Amino acid sequence: MKLMLVGFGVVGQGLVEILRDKRAELESRYGFRAQVVAVATRSKGTLYHPDGLNLDWLLDAAQRGSLALYPPVDGVIRDEGILTLIRRVEADVLVEVSPTNLHTGQPALSYCLAAFDSGKHVVLANKGPVAVGYDELLEHAGQAGKLLRFEGTVMAGTPSIRLAMQALRGCVIAEARGILNGTTNYILTQMESGMSYADALAQAQQLGYAEADPAGDVDGWDAAGKLLILARALFNIPLKMDDLEVKGISGISLDDVKAAQAAGERWKLIARITPEGGSVGPVRVPLSSPLAAVSGATNAVTYVTDLLGEVTLVGSGAGRLQTGFGLLSDLLDIHERTG
Ligand code: HSE
C-alpha cells in the first residue's frame, strides 16, 4: 500500500514510527506492506519518491525541523505545491494529519477531495474535514469508488468510531456521552495534584496531546468537533458547531479543583450528543461515577443503546502512537477490504 501523508507533526511521525517498528509483524500477521511515497507539509517542505522514502531518514529530517534535510538521493522530488503533489503522486491512500481547522475544515478538506478525485482512499486523524465536510467527502469518495476512514479523529486509536459504525450495527444508539478531550482531562488531573493550569497545559503540549493551537482544546471546541463527527457516525445527522452548547475549562481554578475534591467530586469536561443536539462543558462528577476514574489523557465514551443498554469504552484519547494506531487500524481495514 503506497501512502502519501499530508502533515507531518506528532501524529504523522507516530504512524511512520509504527510502520517502521512493526514492519515484520504487520507483514506476517496481515500480509500488510506499506510504503510512504510522499510527505507534504506547509512548514517543513515536501518530499516524493515514487519508489518510497526511507522512514529513518524521513523521521530524522522532520525531527531536525525540515524535510530539506532528507539526503539528496536519486529520484527524490522536493517542494511541490501540496495540491499538485496530491494529484500527481501514485499512491493508494492519502493520510491527512495536518493541523485541524474546525470552522472550515480547510485546507485539508480540499486535499481530501483532490485525493478522491485522483483515485486514492482517504484516512484522517484531522477532525476538521470530517466535522464540517462529511457530505462532500462521502460524495467524492462514492464517485471515485474509494473509502473514507477517520477512526483517529475521536479518542485517538481507541475504536469509538468502529464500535459505533460496525460492532454496534443492529442497535439503535440514542445518546453518546463522555470525556472526549485528552488535553483538558490531563490538565484537570494534574491540577488535582496541585499543579498550576499553565504548567499542566505546557506538559500536555510537550506530550503531544494538545492541538497546534491549544485554545481549541481548553475552550471545548476540540470535544465539540468530535461530537459533530459522532453525530454523523451514530445518527447520520449534519449538526453544526452553532447547534452545540460549548464551554471549556479555562475558567476552572486550583481553588475550584480543591473545592470539588473536598466534596468528594472531580471536575470533568463532559461531552454529550443526541439526535436533538449536544453540549460540552465542565461538570463536577461524584467519585462514585465511572467517569471520575478516567484520568490523564485517557478518554471514555458511553453509548446508550436499545438492545445492550449502556456500552462504555475507555482508552487513550490523544498521543503520538495512540493516534498513529488509529490511522494504522484504518489502513489495515482498507487493506482487508480491497486487498
Ligand atoms: N488535542 C486532542 C486532545 C488530540 O487533547 O484530545 C486528540 O484528538
Side-chain angles (χ1 to χ4, degrees):
M1 182 181 277
K2 293 188 179 204
L3 310 179
M4 170 171 181
L5 274 66
V6 176
F8 201 48
V10 173
V11 172
Q13 292 175 39
L15 172 66
V16 168
E17 265 178 51
I18 295 172
L19 293 176
R20 179 193 62 188
D21 298 343
K22 283 183 171 270
R23 187 183 191 89
E25 180 190 331
L26 292 171
E27 182 161 358
S28 70
R29 287 179 72 186
Y30 312 110
F32 177 77
R33 280 191 309 273
Q35 216 179 25
V36 177
V37 292
V39 175
T41 74
R42 293 213 284 172
S43 59
K44 300 190 192 99
T46 69
L47 286 173
Y48 173 33
H49 197 304
D51 298 334
L53 295 161
N54 177 296
L55 302 188
D56 280 317
W57 294 349
L58 192 55
L59 288 167
D60 180 62
Q63 279 150 23
R64 288 160 61 208
S66 171
L67 297 182
L69 298 169
Y70 188 89
V73 289
D74 277 354
V76 74
I77 298 156
R78 299 174 191 266
D79 294 327
E80 283 207 66
I82 297 181
L83 271 174
T84 312
L85 194 57
I86 291 171
R87 293 194 185 104
R88 76 173 277 209
V89 159
E90 283 188 30
D92 302 298
V93 183
L94 180 88
V95 177
E96 222 300 337
V97 284
S98 69
T100 293
N101 178 326
L102 284 171
H103 301 291
T104 64
Q106 295 292 11
L109 179 56
S110 304
Y111 300 153
C112 295
L113 300 181
F116 284 131
D117 296 347
S118 56
K120 299 167 184 64
H121 305 288
V122 173
V123 166
L124 303 99
N126 182 350
K127 288 150 274 212
V130 190
V132 305
Y134 192 76
D135 286 329
E136 242 182 316
L137 288 168
L138 275 192
E139 189 189 320
H140 284 248
Q143 280 164 2
K146 296 292 163 181
L147 297 169
L148 168 70
R149 289 291 181 273
F150 49 93
E151 183 63 70
T153 59
V154 180
M155 290 177 72
T158 306
S160 55
I161 301 292
R162 199 155 279 125
L163 177 60
M165 295 186 83
Q166 293 181 17
L168 289 178
R169 265 185 310 202
C171 279
V172 174
I173 301 176
E175 176 186 338
R177 60 170 183 271
I179 296 170
L180 295 181
N181 181 265
T183 301
T184 47
N185 206 49
Y186 182 84
I187 293 171
L188 292 171
T189 304
Q190 294 300 84
M191 286 172 78
E192 282 163 16
S193 318
M195 187 179 283
S196 73
Y197 174 91
D199 287 351
L201 172 58
Q203 273 195 358
Q205 288 178 291
Q206 267 166 19
L207 290 164
Y209 302 149
E211 297 299 303
D213 176 2
D217 293 293
V218 298
D219 293 335
W221 299 112
D222 175 81
K226 290 166 180 165
L227 285 185
L228 298 183
I229 295 171
L230 286 181
R232 287 303 203 152
L234 271 55
F235 316 126
N236 197 22
I237 51 171
L239 287 183
K240 297 198 169 50
M241 280 293 186
D242 289 348
D243 300 321
L244 306 176
E245 283 173 47
V246 182
K247 195 170 167 203
I249 64 157
S250 48
I252 295 181
S253 64
L254 265 181
D255 285 345
D256 294 330
V257 170
K258 282 185 201 140
Q261 275 178 314
E265 294 175 341
R266 285 197 170 126
W267 283 102
K268 293 289 172 195
L269 187 69
I270 303 295
R272 178 174 177 271
I273 189 95
T274 71
E276 282 72 51
S279 63
V280 177
V283 175
R284 273 169 68 154
V285 300
L287 289 181
S288 57
S289 157
L291 289 183
V294 175
S295 62
T298 304
N299 282 186
V301 68
T302 297
Y303 294 131
V304 181
T305 75
D306 58 347
L307 300 179
L308 282 172
E310 295 196 352
V311 180
T312 298
L313 181 68
V314 180
S316 289
R320 181 184 183 88
L321 296 180
Q322 295 86 342
T323 313
F325 167 69
L327 296 164
L328 174 68
S329 71
D330 283 342
L331 295 175
L332 288 172
D333 186 47
I334 291 173
H335 168 67
E336 275 156 24
R337 282 166 197 272
T338 60

